[in-house]
Amino acid sequence: MLIYFTELLKKAFKVGFFHLISANILLQIAGFGGQIFLTRVLPIEDIGRIRLMQSYIGIFSVIATLGINTAILKICSERITDESKKNYLVSGLKFNIISSIFVILSAITLIHFKVLSSDNITNKLLYLYLIQIPFTVVFGLIMAFIQSQKKIQLMSKIQSISKILVLLLSTSLAFVMGINGYVVGTVITNIVLVILLIQLSRKKYDLKINTKLASEGVKKIIKLGSLSFGTSLLWTLILSFNIVIAGFMSIDNKEIAYYGIANLIITTLMMIPMSLNQIMVPYISEKTNNHDEIARILTLYQKRMYILMLPLIIASYYLVPIFLPIVFGNKYSNSIDYFKILLLGLLFWCVYSPKNNILTSIGRMDINLYTYTFSFIIYIISNSLLIKWFGMNGAAYGFTLTFFFTIFINGFFYRRVMK
């Protein structure tokens, strides 16, 4: 067992697994505005507002992406010419810039009529916060292309540097200007970083803006993108839409903040199996038509997932309640109960996510779409009822129940495909 674990660590270092984990964790922390630091300088109500805004931006960004990032990852992982890969990337960027503009205009309309929130402060901040959507989408698309080329360490370095800069500027301005400074810092840093990334990508990959993709290529992007779009949107909603439901039900912003901290820790822990998933996609994609090899990979894949996550989940159950008040402050001790419930949901997700990722890698986004459609129905029903009855505890229960039932839904569809 020790020999196997040692070999696994060596391989993980070789493919850039630990680089990717560190980058993903930094991305998660920066994505929530350096929450560890903000909890020391902002009122709990403002932390609740930030969490709600982050939920909306996450949803709008997925809508603006239209699943093109997953399509690029899948297509550019295949054995096609470098010129074709660049053409796909440029075409994807054009699609996403146009779609981002439509999403921003739609979101402004919703904010104007106070559909997203009845809180005036949140609505005013959202107008500015929306500006980052096209830049976030473009960043994600370029990262998907780099990942498809198995340049994991390069991707990790770019993510790490960019997210550290976002973290530093947003939290520094938050000290000076409060929640307004956090929003301004996040938007400005994202804009500057993406402009620089586009310039670097044009030089490195010799990208030409006037590139045209054949109609067959456009159809392929749209087909794969539309399927992965639905799946990505549903996944994003499952991660955070219960916070939106709580907002509609006028749950206290303090309770939303406590839940948000617990959810932040869970999604940060989720970065570890997600890093494994990201690394596996290009390798599985190469074996798309070899079902025997796919079955072998799944067995190995699941074993690695359990070796990674079971010790981590057990340790987190005992250690997070000790360190959470130290890191975030004693006033966030209420987050511990939410965390323990959500931790069980993380375990359920780890059980089925390898199968889910294999289906993505072999181009069966339609199956993942069916899976998450059923899961989201369970999610909406359970969260709507449980939040009404139990407040934010109900949100944690709804999250965990959804992943429990998804194990069986995913298993059913996976078996049908592999037959």
Side-chain angles (χ1 to χ4, degrees):
M1 182 66 182
L2 181 59
I3 295 173
Y4 175 80
F5 190 70
T6 303
E7 289 298 318
L8 187 61
L9 283 176
K10 288 180 180 177
K11 190 166 186 178
F13 274 110
K14 184 178 179 180
V15 299
F17 176 70
F18 292 106
H19 286 84
L20 191 55
I21 284 180
S22 59
N24 280 339
I25 290 175
L26 281 171
L27 184 152
Q28 182 64 22
I29 293 173
F32 197 24
Q35 193 74 77
I36 294 173
F37 306 103
L38 290 178
T39 53
R40 302 292 183 175
V41 296
L42 295 180
I44 297 175
E45 291 83 358
D46 280 350
I47 298 299
R49 290 187 179 102
I50 289 173
R51 191 66 189 98
L52 185 61
M53 288 192 297
Q54 283 288 341
S55 298
Y56 279 127
I57 292 299
I59 293 167
F60 288 140
S61 295
V62 170
I63 295 172
T65 302
L66 293 175
I68 301 298
N69 56 340
T70 306
I72 294 297
L73 173 58
K74 165 60 183 167
I75 295 169
C76 295
S77 295
E78 297 172 357
R79 292 173 179 172
I80 57 177
T81 65
D82 289 341
E83 193 64 30
S84 296
K85 291 177 181 180
K86 289 188 287 186
N87 290 349
Y88 277 114
L89 175 59
V90 172
S91 299
L93 289 170
K94 291 178 181 178
F95 279 133
N96 277 166
I97 290 171
I98 294 170
S99 61
S100 294
I101 293 171
F102 280 106
V103 167
I104 289 176
L105 293 175
S106 301
I108 288 173
T109 304
L110 294 174
I111 296 169
H112 178 74
F113 290 104
K114 294 187 175 182
V115 175
L116 302 181
S117 175
S118 58
D119 180 57
N120 289 329
I121 296 175
T122 302
N123 285 325
K124 287 178 182 178
L125 291 170
L126 270 171
Y127 281 119
L128 176 59
Y129 210 52
L130 288 172
I131 296 173
Q132 68 181 305
I133 288 176
F135 299 94
T136 302
V137 169
V138 168
F139 183 89
L141 190 58
I142 295 175
M143 288 300 102
F145 179 80
I146 295 173
Q147 180 188 346
S148 72
Q149 304 310 294
K150 301 179 184 176
K151 305 292 185 181
I152 303 300
Q153 293 189 11
L154 174 62
M155 182 177 74
S156 302
K157 287 178 182 177
I158 293 172
Q159 288 181 331
S160 298
I161 292 169
S162 63
K163 297 311 171 182
I164 287 173
L165 292 175
V166 171
L167 176 63
L168 289 175
L169 185 59
S170 62
T171 52
S172 297
L173 290 181
F175 274 101
V176 180
M177 301 167 57
I179 191 171
N180 294 302
Y182 157 74
V183 172
V184 170
T186 302
V187 172
I188 290 175
T189 315
N190 278 322
I191 290 173
V192 173
L193 287 171
V194 170
I195 291 173
L196 291 174
L197 180 60
I198 290 172
Q199 293 302 318
L200 289 171
S201 299
R202 288 182 66 183
K203 291 180 180 179
K204 183 175 179 60
Y205 297 109
D206 190 28
L207 301 178
K208 296 180 175 62
I209 302 301
N210 59 352
T211 297
K212 291 185 179 180
L213 190 63
S215 59
E216 294 80 8
V218 173
K219 290 177 182 177
K220 190 171 183 179
I221 286 182
I222 293 173
K223 180 181 178 181
L224 290 176
S226 61
L227 292 171
S228 59
F229 162 68
T231 304
S232 298
L233 179 59
L234 290 171
W235 168 249
T236 303
L237 291 172
I238 287 171
L239 283 182
S240 60
F241 195 68
N242 50 10
I243 292 175
V244 175
I245 295 172
F248 278 119
M249 291 185 178
S250 300
I251 300 295
D252 188 354
N253 270 336
K254 288 185 179 181
E255 290 303 317
I256 293 177
Y258 298 143
Y259 177 87
I261 292 295
N263 184 262
L264 169 69
I265 298 170
I266 290 296
T267 49
T268 301
L269 291 175
M270 201 175 274
M271 290 300 105
I272 296 174
M274 279 186 173
S275 299
L276 177 60
N277 290 348
Q278 284 179 282
I279 287 175
M280 293 298 292
V281 169
Y283 294 94
I284 300 169
S285 185
E286 292 178 343
K287 310 278 193 308
T288 295
N289 297 317
N290 189 337
H291 280 206
D292 290 336
E293 184 63 13
I294 293 292
R296 187 193 69 80
I297 290 174
L298 175 61
T299 302
L300 183 63
Y301 194 172
Q302 288 176 319
K303 186 185 294 185
R304 290 176 180 175
M305 181 69 76
Y306 297 145
I307 290 173
L308 278 171
M309 294 308 296
L310 284 176
L312 182 65
I313 288 172
I314 293 169
S316 299
Y317 182 85
Y318 292 103
L319 294 178
V320 168
I322 296 173
F323 290 102
L324 189 148
I326 298 172
V327 175
F328 293 99
N330 287 324
K331 59 186 177 181
Y332 286 94
S333 295
N334 291 353
S335 300
I336 294 172
D337 290 338
Y338 298 137
F339 170 76
K340 288 182 177 179
I341 300 169
L342 294 174
L343 192 61
L344 186 59
L346 173 61
L347 175 61
F348 294 148
W349 178 76
C350 290
V351 171
Y352 78 83
S353 68
K355 292 179 182 176
N356 193 68
N357 200 49
I358 281 179
L359 291 170
T360 298
S361 302
I362 64 174
R364 293 307 304 266
M365 288 82 163
D366 55 329
I367 301 300
N368 286 335
L369 179 59
Y370 301 151
T371 297
Y372 279 122
T373 298
F374 284 106
S375 298
F376 188 63
I377 292 171
I378 295 170
Y379 179 88
I380 287 293
I381 294 172
S382 61
N383 274 276
S384 298
L385 294 175
L386 293 172
I387 292 174
K388 183 178 180 180
W389 295 338
F390 305 110
M392 292 310 293
N393 270 324
Y397 290 130
F399 177 94
T400 298
L401 283 173
T402 298
F403 285 133
F404 173 72
F405 286 112
T406 304
I407 293 173
F408 304 101
I409 298 169
N410 172 263
F412 170 77
F413 284 118
Y414 184 85
R415 286 191 297 273
R416 292 197 62 175
V417 169
M418 289 306 162
K419 281 182 180 179

